[in-house]
Amino acid sequence: MASMHHPNLSILVVSLLLLALHATATRPSLLHPHHDICEKTDFVQLCRKSVKGAENVDVASLNAMGALLVEINKRKEAIAKTGNNQLTRLCSRSYGDAVDNLKESMGYLKTHDIGSLMSYLSATLSSFSDCDSAYQEVGGKSPFAANNKFLEDMASNCLALASQIH
């Protein structure tokens, strides 16, 4: 009987419920406040550091790719300072390819072209093993192996995050 006296109250309640449902549908963290975007990655702690508290997988992916880009550029500069032989040039070129592929990935994330995003992230990941493989082919161990492993871990996390985008 109260609804007969206050029909606007019913409309207000229904509107608020619809608004709340819309907000939780567009922000998964509100549906699952303890949901960890990084829980499906292989390197969870590294992922959490890279995504910087992002509340959805798109932002988390972009943050992780941005963090990887920064780390690649740091290490590329370090490689340049170690000398100018054929192997270091190859590694530097591989890192340059990784940067190019990662930038392409970021563009595909923004357009939600998931197939191309995954393809370019995979190419980014393989760039680091290219550097190590060059040293192995001449019977040596890459002096950049630890750097490459770290960058591979970061790229692996980027792939895992991107695979959650729908």
Side-chain angles (χ1 to χ4, degrees), residues 35-52 54 56-57 60-65 118 121 149-150 152-165:
H35 174 72
D36 183 355
I37 291 171
C38 293
E39 70 186 352
K40 294 181 181 176
T41 64
D42 289 332
F43 309 98
V44 175
Q45 293 301 325
L46 180 59
C47 176
R48 288 180 183 146
K49 186 177 178 181
S50 298
V51 302
K52 300 175 187 151
N56 68 59
V57 74
S61 294
L62 192 58
N63 288 356
M65 285 187 259
M118 298 302 284
L121 283 175
K149 171 72 171 104
F150 177 72
E152 287 171 354
D153 293 353
M154 290 186 78
S156 172
N157 281 346
C158 290
L159 275 163
L161 290 168
S163 72
Q164 298 177 55
I165 297 172

Side-chain angles (χ1 to χ4, degrees), residues 100-162:
D100 293 342
N101 289 324
L102 193 55
K103 286 179 179 178
E104 289 289 328
S105 298
M106 294 168 122
Y108 289 123
L109 172 63
K110 291 176 184 174
T111 62
H112 277 83
D113 181 346
I114 305 305
S116 297
L117 168 64
M118 298 302 284
S119 178
Y120 276 84
L121 283 175
S122 294
T124 301
L125 177 61
S126 70
S127 295
F128 309 119
S129 62
D130 291 347
C131 176
D132 290 337
S133 295
Y135 280 90
Q136 290 170 352
E137 287 176 14
V138 296
K141 180 174 165 64
S142 170
F144 313 113
N147 285 336
N148 292 337
K149 171 72 171 104
F150 177 72
L151 295 172
E152 287 171 354
D153 293 353
M154 290 186 78
S156 172
N157 281 346
C158 290
L159 275 163
L161 290 168

Side-chain angles (χ1 to χ4, degrees), residues 10-35:
S10 297
I11 293 171
L12 178 63
V13 168
V14 169
S15 297
L16 288 174
L17 284 172
L18 289 174
L19 183 62
L21 285 173
H22 174 72
T24 57
T26 57
R27 295 190 60 200
S29 62
L30 295 176
L31 276 175
H32 305 287
H34 300 303
H35 174 72

Side-chain angles (χ1 to χ4, degrees), residues 85-95 130-131 134:
N85 65 47
Q86 184 177 359
L87 292 173
T88 57
R89 284 192 307 271
L90 184 136
C91 288
S92 183
R93 214 172 21 256
S94 292
Y95 279 35
D130 291 347
C131 176

